[in-house]
Amino acid sequence: TRSGPRDGCWARQPCYLLRRFCHYIVTMRYFEMVILVVIALSSIALAAEDPVRTDSPRNNALKYMDYIFTGVFTFEMVIKMIDLGLLLHPGAYFRDLWNILDFIVVSGALVAFAFSGSKGKDINTIKSLRVLRVLRPLKTIKRLPKLKAVFDCVVNSLKNVLNILIVYMLFMFIFAVIAVQLFKGKFFYCTDESKELERDCRGQYLDYEKDEVEAQPRQWKKYDFHYDNVLWALLTLFTVSTGEGWPMVLKHSVDATYEEQGPSPGYRMELSIFYVVYFVVFPFFFVNIFVALIIITFQEQGDKVMSECSLEKNERACIDFAISAKPLTRYMPQNQQSFQYKTWTFVVSPPFEYFIMAMIALNTAVLMMKFYDAPYEYELMLKCLNIVFTSMFSMECVLKIIAFGVLNYFRDAWNVFDFVTVLGSITDILVTEIAVSSVSCSPSRAPQGFPSRACPLGAPDCVGLFLAPPGAPGQRRLGVVSANILS
């Protein structure tokens, strides 16, 4: 129902019928869904355009599709204007910022079409108006309440971001000043790496990196990112904070020697501490502050929405928990005199769990003990330990299947994961032993990846902690325990 006096157009029967008809269309069940589909298709068509060949057949086909999309959006705008009115009463079309955005996008498209049909018009004007089409995906925000809530949260967070941004810039300025003091004039190098001083970087040198040896002139250059002044230091530190290309800046920093002198590999490794502290302060600390600010703003908006509710926040949380909570079930054999019940008592006992946890910790330590070019006896010891751990976890899997039963055991996703990793570990050991035993122990016939001296006893390679290495079933429990501690 529409509030307010029904005067003006509402008092005239033809206009009243037209507005009722437009109101009926706007409030139809599938009207918003159709508009969302058209917005999605329009966005896909916008992304599919060829920006290089503007007269390509694909762009011509997409141009006619754009006519259809613009027609649909124009129809939507017109019927909403008729239904809601323009400006003079509450709830009018132009009193909603999202409707104003729709009007700007549609009007820009219509004007661009009008200019494109006239010769002699400025092509840049047409292009600037057609750029407004990129705002079409924003039309979905108003129609999806959850997206609108997130967008409102981001906008409201911008009010508090200014103070954090000022602190951010102050810290960035401090680090830039420190960087200038540490690295100014030290990011120079000679194209001939054998020359360290600028006075020696003269003449030519032989370049062996290409297919043919060529004589290249020696040049004294400066790295693209440096700390010669505060402005360049700010730009370099911002580049480092993005996480793109910063290892090269770190290498240049630890290789820096003295002003007007070339680099020396690893000359001052202690300067890497500067980047460690910088990463802790900026990419970690400040990014988390921005995320926390958005989360707090989102929670405050949720509290505002629920402020009219008669229940308090904790009471609503308790009710939601009671509604969504599911009872915890634990299987227990009924016959307490059976072998299954005794096995179940054993596998659920605390000593058994502590023993498995100890095996997990030891197995993890063994997996960390591999290193390149290890002695034969050392590799043999690690292999035997891995086989022992795999046997223990296999026995654990068998005992639990006996205690819980096959169906109850595989109802738990973690048990399925345990079973698959144990099976993979056993398969890995068997395949490795078969592959090694089928090859001669001579160096000329040793397979790639197996040292010839360890041919008969080559240990299986550790592919990763979660790719079924020997003993890996217990590692997921270690992850579960860690997650529980952190939560």
Side-chain angles (χ1 to χ4, degrees):
T1 59
R2 186 179 299 275
S3 60
R6 298 195 174 188
D7 53 358
C9 183
W10 282 97
R12 296 189 291 272
Q13 186 68 14
C15 186
Y16 172 71
L17 294 176
L18 176 62
R19 297 187 76 168
R20 285 196 60 180
F21 177 72
C22 294
H23 181 74
Y24 171 76
I25 295 177
V26 170
T27 56
M28 285 181 66
R29 181 179 180 181
Y30 299 105
F31 178 78
E32 291 293 336
M33 184 61 66
V34 171
I35 297 299
L36 284 174
V37 172
V38 174
I39 292 173
L41 294 176
S42 174
S43 303
I44 295 173
L46 187 63
E49 287 187 358
D50 188 350
V52 179
R53 297 179 299 169
T54 56
D55 295 332
S56 62
R58 182 175 63 181
N59 281 4
N60 292 331
L62 292 175
K63 181 175 67 173
Y64 290 107
M65 294 181 63
D66 194 27
Y67 290 154
I68 298 175
F69 297 144
T70 305
V72 173
F73 294 139
T74 305
F75 173 75
E76 176 204 10
M77 180 185 69
V78 171
I79 63 173
K80 282 190 174 181
M81 285 182 176
I82 297 174
D83 175 42
L84 302 175
L86 293 179
L87 184 64
L88 299 180
H89 61 275
Y93 184 84
F94 285 108
R95 293 198 177 191
D96 189 346
L97 294 178
W98 293 105
N99 291 335
I100 295 176
L101 175 65
D102 287 351
F103 176 79
I104 294 174
V105 173
V106 174
S107 301
L110 294 176
V111 174
F113 289 153
F115 280 178
S116 61
S118 302
K119 295 182 178 180
K121 296 292 184 181
D122 187 9
I123 190 65
N124 292 327
T125 305
I126 300 174
K127 289 183 178 180
S128 62
L129 291 173
R130 289 174 65 85
V131 166
L132 293 175
R133 295 181 302 164
V134 301
L135 300 176
R136 285 179 179 174
L138 294 178
K139 294 162 65 72
T140 59
I141 296 177
K142 177 187 176 182
R143 292 168 171 82
L144 298 177
K146 293 184 178 180
L147 283 182
K148 191 173 184 300
V150 174
F151 182 82
D152 293 340
C153 172
V154 174
V155 172
N156 293 330
S157 299
L158 294 178
K159 302 174 184 178
N160 301 323
V161 163
L162 182 60
N163 295 329
I164 300 178
L165 191 60
I166 293 174
V167 178
Y168 179 90
M169 293 305 300
L170 288 176
F171 272 89
M172 182 73 79
F173 178 77
I174 292 173
F175 275 91
V177 172
I178 296 174
V180 170
Q181 298 298 321
L182 292 175
F183 305 112
K184 63 181 177 67
K186 300 178 182 180
F187 273 42
F188 288 92
Y189 69 100
C190 183
T191 53
D192 183 3
E193 296 181 357
S194 62
K195 305 299 179 183
E196 295 184 358
L197 301 177
E198 183 180 7
R199 63 173 179 267
D200 299 331
C201 192
R202 301 286 188 275
Q204 294 182 333
Y205 70 101
L206 297 179
D207 186 6
Y208 293 92
E209 294 183 358
K210 299 181 180 179
D211 296 337
E212 298 179 357
V213 180
E214 295 182 0
Q216 300 289 342
R218 293 190 179 99
Q219 296 179 349
W220 188 253
K221 293 184 177 181
K222 184 190 297 183
Y223 292 121
D224 294 334
F225 292 97
H226 53 83
Y227 298 99
D228 284 357
N229 53 63
V230 174
L231 294 179
W232 267 105
L234 289 171
L235 179 61
T236 304
L237 289 176
F238 177 78
T239 305
V240 171
S241 66
T242 61
E244 295 293 335
W246 72 270
M248 189 59 64
V249 179
L250 173 62
K251 183 181 183 303
H252 296 162
S253 301
V254 298
D255 293 348
T257 55
Y258 301 99
E259 295 184 12
E260 304 298 334
Q261 184 173 332
S264 177
Y267 185 75
R268 292 193 297 177
M269 292 297 297
E270 64 274 7
L271 290 179
S272 59
I273 301 176
F274 172 81
Y275 290 93
V276 174
V277 176
Y278 179 79
F279 262 94
V280 170
V281 173
F282 283 93
F284 298 155
F285 182 70
F286 275 102
V287 169
N288 289 331
I289 285 181
F290 282 108
V291 173
L293 179 63
I294 294 177
I295 293 175
I296 291 173
T297 306
F298 192 80
Q299 291 177 347
E300 289 178 352
Q301 284 191 338
D303 293 339
K304 285 183 180 179
V305 173
M306 301 300 295
S307 60
E308 298 180 357
C309 182
S310 58
L311 298 177
E312 295 182 355
K313 181 179 179 180
N314 294 333
E315 294 175 344
R316 295 195 304 269
C318 292
I319 293 176
D320 293 338
F321 175 78
I323 294 175
S324 60
K326 296 181 180 180
L328 296 177
T329 58
R330 187 179 186 182
Y331 174 77
M332 177 186 296
Q334 295 182 355
N335 187 3
Q336 298 185 2
Q337 304 299 325
S338 63
F339 175 74
Q340 182 184 11
Y341 181 82
K342 296 178 180 179
T343 307
W344 177 86
T345 306
F346 175 70
V347 298
V348 299
S349 62
F352 180 79
E353 289 295 333
Y354 292 147
F355 174 77
I356 294 298
M357 284 299 302
M359 293 300 102
I360 294 170
L362 292 175
N363 184 30
T364 306
V366 169
L367 291 174
M368 296 166 53
M369 291 170 62
K370 282 192 175 183
F371 60 91
Y372 173 71
D373 200 19
Y376 165 71
E377 294 78 8
Y378 185 81
E379 291 183 350
L380 178 61
M381 179 192 68
L382 293 182
K383 176 191 172 182
C384 295
L385 288 175
N386 279 329
I387 293 177
V388 170
F389 287 127
T390 302
S391 303
M392 289 184 178
F393 292 126
S394 302
M395 184 61 64
E396 176 206 7
C397 180
V398 172
L399 290 175
K400 286 192 172 182
I401 291 177
I402 296 174
F404 296 107
V406 177
L407 295 179
N408 292 312
Y409 178 82
F410 286 104
R411 283 176 182 172
D412 188 353
W414 287 113
N415 289 338
V416 175
F417 180 77
D418 269 358
F419 181 80
V420 172
T421 49
V422 166
L423 190 62
S425 301
I426 297 174
T427 305
D428 181 46
I429 293 176
L430 294 178
V431 170
T432 303
E433 290 299 327
I434 293 173
V436 172
S437 61
S438 63
V439 179
S440 174
C441 297
S442 62
S444 60
R445 300 185 61 183
Q448 184 178 5
F450 291 93
S452 59
R453 60 175 179 171
C455 182
L457 297 170
D461 292 333
C462 179
V463 217
L465 294 180
F466 294 100
L467 294 181
Q475 293 169 10
R476 68 94 175 165
R477 294 184 185 82
L478 188 60
V480 172
V481 172
S482 303
N484 291 334
I485 293 174
L486 293 176
S487 61

